[in-house]
Amino acid sequence: MLVHVLFAAVLAVGSAQTPANTFPDGFLFGCATAAYQVEGAWNEDGKGESIWDHMLHEHPEYGNNGDNGDVTCDSYHKYKEDVQMLKAINADVYRFSISWSRILPTGDIDVINQPGIDYYNNLINELLDNGIQPVVTMYHWDLPQALQYLGGWPNGLIADYFVEYARVLFDNFGDRVKWWITFNEPGVFVSGYAEVGTAAPSQPAPGIGDYLAIHTLLRAHGRVYRLYDQQYRATQNGSVGITLNIQNIEPASNSTEDLEAVDRYMQFEDGIFAHPIFSEDGDYPAVVRQRVDANSEAEGRPRSRLPTFTQEEIEYLRGSADFFGLNHYRTYYAAAGETGPVPSKRRDSGAYTISSNENNPAGLRKILNWITAEYPGYPIFVTENGYGDSGGLNDTGRVEYLTNYLSALLEAINTDGVEVLGYTMWTLMDNMEWTSGFSIKMGLYEVDFDSVNKTRTPRLSAYAMSEIFESKQLPVLN
Ligand SMILES: *[C@@H]1O[C@H](CO)[C@@H](O)[C@H](O)[C@H]1NC(C)=O
Ligand SMILES: *[C@@H]1O[C@H](CO)[C@@H](O)[C@H](O)[C@H]1NC(C)=O
Ligand SMILES: *[C@@H]1O[C@H](CO)[C@@H](O)[C@H](O)[C@H]1NC(C)=O
Ligand SMILES: *[C@@H]1O[C@H](CO)[C@@H](O)[C@H](O)[C@H]1NC(C)=O
């Protein structure tokens, strides 16, 4: 455990312990990372190229200053150090992702790369030996490039490949992994099939490619859940969910138009994924179905740009989760209006956000309540929440952000009665933040990317979290 004299002194000031500042028994604390952002070793030991490797090698200008994930934190070689860092902050769980192309370099099961299997076995065993449970994301944005050459997610057949990949993961790791997340933030990665330069593979097909990708990944998710149900749950007894990024949306004004825009915006950003899986009726939200169908027809198309589920698909998707994974960072303001290219998901939604980046802890409490009201019956796992700055060890801004958001989370649990299973903050250590590269720092640990050993140093926030994760209580700060 980390001991930090200054922070311990702060804690001692407010020593009141009330149920109101205590997390429930069994609440799971930890950190989250993603393979491309921390592993490095992008082409080592048989790993295949991913769409992020490919995009940032071919188009470094889509990233920041030529940054890419070739080496980054070098966790492929330093995972034991990562586990010791988690242990030092008293983490119960570690949420990491598996690189599909490290396990299956061609994306298919014709080649199973044993060193890739070995790497994740070593990481999982090291975690368990240190009393930390793995929470595994199957897909955190790094599709094998070999499958992108087949069109990637807009190609419905990619669902078959994902099911086979999931089977390899359950077969090899399911005896020890009890928490599975099929997809991380599909709302973000499908933008890679709508526009250039925000997410791989940067295919500019707005309002078509993104809807096709959504349709495929939802089918893939549902099938993997049913696969687990039918062939693994009885022996492995784990939980399978999906993680959506849901920000808090407030109206830009109190006009009826803007108030309605908030709901439409959320249905197009969040409901489009959540409704088929978590609602009682299943299928896409009615407002999404109706607006995309109407716009497609007005454009003179013979079919809707948003594909239709078969009845069988609606049924296997409905209820296909044991928990609701939530990534939440901030509050945006939405207004009514047609913006964005013709066609595009944004234009279909008739809503847009006009400002961003507002930290607002109450927004997390609001979204936890929104999920519970909209999709009752599913416990929530907060799988990401975190704070970016430009660096430095005395990260008082991050400590304040995390403490305030955890306080709002506790109010949702203790006052509102929302069921929350755990909280894995983003992120354990500074890493390759996608197109922002190494310019933004989000870690409890600083990483010196210029050093040979990618030296990690705990920040003030690491000490703060080590106290909270151990005591399962928020400090009462004066
Ligand atoms: C399965 O896991 C749950 C907790 O997730 C536990 O309560 C139950 O006893 C387990 N069942 C078996 C058969 O291991
Ligand atoms: C909308 O009305 C509420 C309640 O009167 C008020 O608190 C809020 O500031 C208003 N919002 C805007 C954007 O004007
Ligand atoms: C850390 O920053 C805070 C506020 O910015 C300041 O009050 C404090 O003195 C700093 N602590 C150290 C050790 O530099
Ligand atoms: C890097 O780590 C290795 C192995 O722990 C150590 O022997 C070496 O001195 C370190 N190098 C630097 C520059 O810190």
Side-chain angles (χ1 to χ4, degrees):
M1 171 182 146
L2 295 174
V3 177
H4 190 275
V5 175
L6 281 180
F7 194 76
V10 172
L11 273 180
V13 172
S15 57
Q17 296 182 2
T18 64
N21 74 340
T22 303
F23 287 86
D25 283 347
F27 191 85
L28 300 169
F29 275 116
C31 300
T33 63
Y36 182 69
Q37 298 180 264
V38 300
E39 284 179 5
W42 78 276
N43 62 353
E44 219 170 300
D45 292 344
K47 178 181 169 293
E49 187 185 36
S50 79
I51 55 175
W52 275 89
D53 294 322
H54 188 82
M55 182 181 85
L56 289 179
H57 289 158
E58 297 291 313
H59 291 284
E61 74 277 13
Y62 294 167
N64 170 67
N65 198 26
D67 294 346
N68 60 43
D70 289 3
V71 180
T72 179
C73 307
D74 199 22
S75 286
Y76 186 68
H77 299 110
K78 303 205 172 305
Y79 66 93
K80 288 188 178 174
E81 219 175 295
D82 297 349
V83 173
Q84 287 313 305
M85 288 151 60
L86 287 155
K87 192 177 178 184
I89 57 169
N90 303 303
D92 304 300
V93 292
Y94 179 40
R95 174 178 177 235
F96 62 93
S97 81
I98 289 181
S99 157
W100 186 341
S101 65
R102 193 179 291 291
I103 302 267
L104 304 177
T106 69
D108 204 351
I109 57 171
D110 58 330
V111 181
I112 298 184
N113 184 41
Q114 193 56 43
I117 302 274
D118 294 346
Y119 170 66
Y120 294 109
N121 270 329
N122 290 339
L123 171 57
I124 290 164
N125 293 340
E126 187 76 10
L127 287 165
L128 292 172
D129 286 349
N130 284 277
I132 301 165
Q133 289 185 58
V135 175
V136 174
T137 311
M138 296 178 175
Y139 187 82
H140 203 126
W141 306 0
D142 46 356
L143 187 74
Q145 177 63 27
L147 299 185
Q148 187 49 45
Y149 288 132
L150 308 180
W153 288 108
N155 178 349
L157 290 175
I158 300 301
D160 295 350
Y161 290 82
F162 187 74
V163 173
E164 294 310 319
Y165 163 58
R167 190 193 301 279
V168 172
L169 302 188
F170 294 147
D171 282 341
N172 282 279
F173 311 123
D175 57 333
R176 287 152 294 149
V177 173
K178 301 303 163 192
W179 295 96
W180 294 102
I181 293 164
T182 53
F183 291 98
N184 178 72
E185 299 190 358
V188 175
F189 80 74
V190 301
S191 71
Y193 296 97
E195 60 198 39
V196 170
T198 54
S202 280
Q203 300 293 306
I208 304 173
D210 40 0
Y211 288 135
L212 294 177
I214 288 168
H215 201 69
T216 307
L217 77 87
L218 282 169
R219 289 172 48 247
H221 165 85
R223 288 177 54 191
V224 165
Y225 184 83
R226 298 304 162 197
L227 172 71
Y228 194 78
D229 262 358
Q230 286 152 19
Q231 296 182 25
Y232 296 94
R233 190 182 296 281
T235 51
Q236 299 189 349
N237 194 32
S239 296
V240 181
I242 185 170
T243 280
L244 307 181
N245 56 308
I246 304 186
Q247 310 313 329
N248 179 46
I249 309 297
E250 297 289 340
S253 80
N254 276 329
S255 70
T256 308
E257 290 76 17
D258 286 353
L259 289 166
E260 288 172 358
V262 169
D263 185 58
R264 266 203 321 279
Y265 186 89
M266 293 192 74
Q267 292 306 327
F268 270 82
E269 290 295 313
D270 312 315
I272 198 168
F273 301 104
H275 201 272
I277 298 171
F278 297 99
S279 74
E280 282 192 16
D281 294 343
D283 205 349
Y284 291 117
V287 65
V288 172
R289 175 85 272 160
Q290 177 236 314
R291 290 180 71 95
V292 184
D293 289 359
N295 284 352
S296 301
E297 193 180 341
E299 290 152 17
R301 297 173 190 273
R303 70 193 80 75
S304 177
R305 288 181 275 100
L306 178 66
T308 305
F309 290 121
T310 64
Q311 196 55 40
E312 185 198 2
E313 289 166 342
I314 290 172
E315 293 306 327
Y316 74 62
L317 263 165
R318 203 161 54 117
S320 62
D322 301 315
F323 63 92
F324 193 120
L326 169 68
N327 290 359
H328 177 85
Y329 287 87
R330 58 185 71 90
T331 290
Y332 294 82
Y333 293 87
E338 314 255 306
T339 65
V342 181
S344 63
K345 185 152 79 68
R346 175 149 35 110
R347 183 163 285 268
D348 289 333
S349 77
Y352 61 104
T353 47
I354 54 167
S355 60
S356 64
N357 250 357
E358 182 168 313
N359 293 334
N360 170 22
L364 172 58
R365 181 176 177 184
K366 212 173 140 191
I367 289 303
L368 290 167
N369 278 283
W370 181 81
I371 293 170
T372 304
E374 198 94 350
Y375 312 110
Y378 292 93
I380 301 169
F381 202 133
V382 178
T383 45
E384 285 182 30
N385 172 240
Y387 177 87
D389 64 18
S390 57
L393 294 177
N394 185 26
D395 58 339
T396 52
R398 180 168 296 105
V399 173
E400 192 181 343
Y401 175 101
L402 294 171
T403 310
N404 289 339
Y405 272 78
L406 281 171
S407 175
L409 175 66
L410 252 187
E411 285 182 296
I413 297 173
N414 289 341
T415 307
D416 309 334
V418 176
E419 188 184 359
V420 185
L421 300 165
Y423 174 88
T424 50
M425 64 81 59
W426 187 270
T427 178
L428 178 61
M429 59 191 148
D430 296 343
N431 60 49
M432 161 65 194
E433 288 289 347
W434 308 107
T435 54
S436 301
F438 301 109
S439 66
I440 180 171
K441 312 293 183 186
M442 301 192 75
L444 297 183
Y445 288 78
E446 174 192 80
V447 176
D448 179 359
F449 292 104
D450 295 328
S451 67
V452 182
N453 283 343
K454 309 296 170 194
T455 306
R456 289 101 150 109
T457 309
R459 295 197 165 103
L460 182 68
S461 57
Y463 300 104
M465 289 307 110
S466 80
E467 295 286 348
I468 294 171
F469 290 4
E470 185 183 37
S471 67
K472 306 276 193 270
Q473 284 184 340
L474 288 182
V476 180
L477 295 170
N478 293 342

